[in-house]
Amino acid sequence: MGKILAVVSTKREQVGGGAPIFIVETEKEQQDVAFLLEKILDGNAHDLKNGTMILVDHND
């Protein structure tokens, strides 16, 4: 089971919780931010296909 490191979303009203949340304007910006965080946090980006991507650490 993994740990959610961050959330990147275009839909502020649909996200919440304990992980850092990054709100972006466009899908392109979402992908750019998620893939940059993927490298910085050494995690894996997963597109939920609803305007939200999560960064997960699968090494736990």
Side-chain angles (χ1 to χ4, degrees), residues 6-8 22 32-43 55:
V7 177
V8 183
F22 298 83
D32 291 346
V33 170
F35 294 138
L36 182 58
L37 287 170
E38 187 176 38
K39 290 179 174 41
I40 293 169
L41 299 174
D42 193 26
L55 285 291

Side-chain angles (χ1 to χ4, degrees), residues 42-60:
D42 193 26
N44 298 97
H46 299 280
D47 190 348
L48 302 182
K49 302 291 184 190
N50 64 353
T52 300
M53 294 181 82
I54 59 173
L55 285 291
V56 178
D57 179 1
H58 290 290
N59 295 322
D60 285 342

